[in-house]
Amino acid sequence: MTTSEPSVSSLPFEVSNRMVFAIAVPMTLAYLTTPLLGIVDTAVIGQFGDAALIGGLAVGAIIFDIVFTTFNFLRSGTTGFVAQAFGRGDETEQQAVFWRAVLLAAGLGLVLLILGPLIRELGILLMNPGEGVADATRSYVTIRMLGAPFSLVNYALLGLLLGQGRAMAGLLLQTLLNGINIAGSIWFGLVLGWQIEGVAIGTVLGEAIAAGAGFWWIRRGFDLRHAPSRARVLDREAFLRLVSVNRDIMIRSFALLAGFSLFTRTGAQFGAVTLAANAILMNFFLIAGYYLDGFATAAEQIVGRAIGANHPPAFWRAVRLTTMWGFALAGFTTIMVVLFGPAAIDLMTTAPDVRAEAKTYLMWAALTAIAGVLAFEMDGVFIGATWSKDMRNMMLASLAVFVILLLTVVPAYGNHGLWLALNVFLGVRGLTLLAILPRKARRVFG
């Protein structure tokens, strides 16, 4: 808690559409700034007319996407534990969770710094780019890895803010980070002519300033009357709970990455045209994911708070409202993709064969938003409740179903079967979590 906000006790509270949107809308805007960074960085490097630099940036970005997706659990795990302490009105535990998360983030960041050269070379080995692209990738990754501790600390900072329901503050923090990142990349990369090294420096600068400013602002707002002791912060059992939840979320993230990697790899077996068409169509699902993540974040905070307050009506209303709005927006997305997808495909590629191939499978891509909405929403619910083992287990079960479909349906139906398998993969994730939700809730609320 901060001194500028009212104290919250573990009393029943009313969940409204306004409460849901107060979290979902700012975080949707924050998530939507992420692709903007890639666009700006690519535009900056593109001004130098060197394909090797563009390729090096792309390969380096993939390496960091994998690394930071792996450690995104620092945000999710922190949000769930803070939200529950918030619901109990336990300001001391909120601060304790924050310090544990920051310590864990800083420690893991230092590990990434030490392992940076190994991660860089392994990534280059797996991607196998040309010599010029590999050199550019090394320059980018070497510099950007310096910001790893700041990047992970920013996850912990955002986790605290979202756990307390302060989504607007989270948006401001992300705007600061991304704004400095963009300005720095343009200044160092383009104005000073430092090219890919300048883009990497701009990114590190944004992460460092956001981490420093966010840490100072949050720390300054703590009510020191409720400051936890060092023994409570370093409590072994509490630390193990945080690590356990984060470990399960990390395994779940790896399984999700494995699923999408298998989708891409299987599509590549149908030839370059189908591979390109599938890549274009996946953008429709990724765009839907940005705002579905906003409502999942709302579910995280409100569900965690309801569990902390031991208030079942708030829990179930949070589940209903976030899921309802998620399905509404997913349905809207499906309609928009069906209506305007062909025109969007024509904008994304000029190759006639790729255009035709993508339009053949457009309906499958349009359905991914509806098939995946429950997966997003249930992830939010289970993160807020810190039921990480169930998230992990259902993800692994869903991945197993996906693999079975790849081995059975895809050989019979080709790329249609591949898209069917992806939709089933997304749907099974959400449905399996929904199926065990009542039982989990009964164990918590009695």
Side-chain angles (χ1 to χ4, degrees):
M1 287 292 294
T2 64
T3 54
S4 61
E5 297 183 16
S7 176
V8 176
S9 62
S10 55
L11 294 175
F13 62 97
E14 183 68 27
V15 178
S16 63
N17 285 311
R18 180 177 181 180
M19 176 185 288
V20 170
F21 275 86
I23 299 173
V25 172
M27 291 319 301
T28 297
L29 295 175
Y31 295 141
L32 285 173
T33 62
T34 301
L36 179 61
L37 295 177
I39 293 171
V40 171
D41 288 351
T42 302
V44 168
I45 295 302
Q47 302 306 305
F48 296 99
D50 187 340
L53 291 179
I54 298 175
L57 177 66
V59 173
I62 290 172
I63 292 173
F64 279 100
D65 282 346
I66 294 173
V67 170
F68 290 132
T69 297
T70 300
F71 289 98
N72 190 46
F73 59 74
L74 287 166
R75 201 283 299 165
S76 303
T78 304
T79 297
F81 283 115
V82 170
Q84 291 179 26
F86 184 79
R88 295 193 302 270
D90 189 344
E91 298 185 32
T92 301
E93 182 60 17
Q94 291 174 58
Q95 295 186 35
V97 172
F98 169 76
W99 288 116
R100 291 178 201 126
V102 167
L103 287 173
L104 183 59
L108 290 173
L110 291 176
V111 171
L112 285 179
L113 273 181
I114 296 171
L115 297 179
L118 177 61
I119 295 172
R120 179 193 65 206
E121 295 306 317
L122 181 60
I124 291 173
L125 178 64
L126 293 175
M127 299 298 292
N128 193 27
E131 184 176 346
V133 173
D135 290 340
T137 300
R138 286 189 179 92
S139 298
Y140 179 78
V141 173
T142 299
I143 295 172
R144 191 175 166 189
M145 191 63 77
L146 297 174
F150 303 117
S151 299
L152 300 191
V153 167
N154 279 319
Y155 285 152
L157 301 180
L158 184 60
L160 174 86
L161 295 175
L162 295 181
Q164 294 179 332
R166 298 162 61 193
M168 188 57 69
L171 172 60
L172 292 175
L173 180 64
Q174 293 300 106
T175 301
L176 174 67
L177 188 159
N178 294 332
I180 294 174
N181 190 332
I182 290 172
S185 295
I186 293 173
W187 176 257
F188 293 110
L190 190 60
V191 177
L192 297 184
W194 293 356
Q195 301 184 356
I196 196 167
E197 291 87 352
V199 169
I201 291 171
T203 302
V204 173
L205 186 66
E207 295 283 0
I209 292 177
F215 183 86
W216 172 82
W217 181 42
I218 290 172
R219 173 67 181 82
R220 181 174 175 270
F222 279 151
D223 186 344
L224 297 182
R225 293 174 300 175
H226 299 281
S229 65
R230 180 179 299 181
R232 179 161 180 174
V233 171
L234 300 177
D235 179 73
R236 183 174 180 273
E237 184 178 344
F239 242 118
L240 288 177
R241 283 199 304 270
L242 180 62
V243 170
S244 176
V245 166
N246 288 339
R247 177 202 62 208
D248 293 334
I249 295 175
M250 181 176 68
I251 294 172
R252 166 256 183 202
S253 298
F254 271 130
L256 184 60
L257 283 173
F260 287 128
S261 297
L262 284 172
F263 175 84
T264 301
R265 182 180 181 277
T266 305
Q269 296 175 4
F270 299 125
V273 172
T274 299
L275 177 63
N278 286 351
I280 289 172
L281 293 174
M282 277 299 291
N283 285 302
F284 296 122
F285 171 67
L286 295 176
I287 291 171
Y290 288 123
Y291 56 73
L292 292 177
D293 259 341
F295 284 97
T297 301
E300 291 177 28
Q301 198 279 333
I302 302 173
V303 163
R305 179 181 172 186
I307 288 178
N310 193 29
H311 188 41
F315 175 91
W316 287 113
R317 184 158 173 79
V319 172
R320 285 193 297 270
L321 286 183
T322 56
T323 302
M324 178 190 73
W325 283 112
F327 269 110
L329 285 174
F332 175 77
T333 300
T334 295
I335 294 172
M336 290 297 101
V337 170
V338 170
L339 293 177
F340 301 106
I345 291 170
D346 290 342
L347 287 175
M348 285 187 277
T349 180
T350 59
D353 51 352
V354 176
R355 284 179 171 177
E357 189 80 353
K359 291 172 185 177
T360 299
Y361 303 105
L362 178 62
M363 182 57 69
W364 288 114
L367 292 174
T368 56
I370 293 177
V373 63
L374 261 184
F376 282 93
E377 295 307 315
M378 289 299 105
D379 273 359
V381 171
F382 278 67
I383 286 172
T386 60
W387 296 331
S388 58
K389 288 184 180 180
D390 299 283
M391 283 181 60
R392 177 199 67 194
N393 294 341
M394 295 306 103
M395 172 61 79
L396 293 174
S398 302
L399 181 61
V401 171
F402 183 53
V403 171
I404 291 172
L405 291 175
L406 292 182
L407 296 174
T408 57
V409 175
V410 174
Y413 298 99
N415 202 45
H416 283 291
L418 178 59
W419 278 99
L420 171 62
L422 178 65
N423 277 277
V424 172
F425 173 52
L426 296 171
V428 169
R429 278 181 57 208
L431 290 172
T432 52
L433 290 173
L434 180 63
I436 65 174
L437 181 61
R439 173 171 55 85
K440 297 294 296 184
R442 283 194 299 270
R443 289 183 179 179
V444 171
F445 297 114

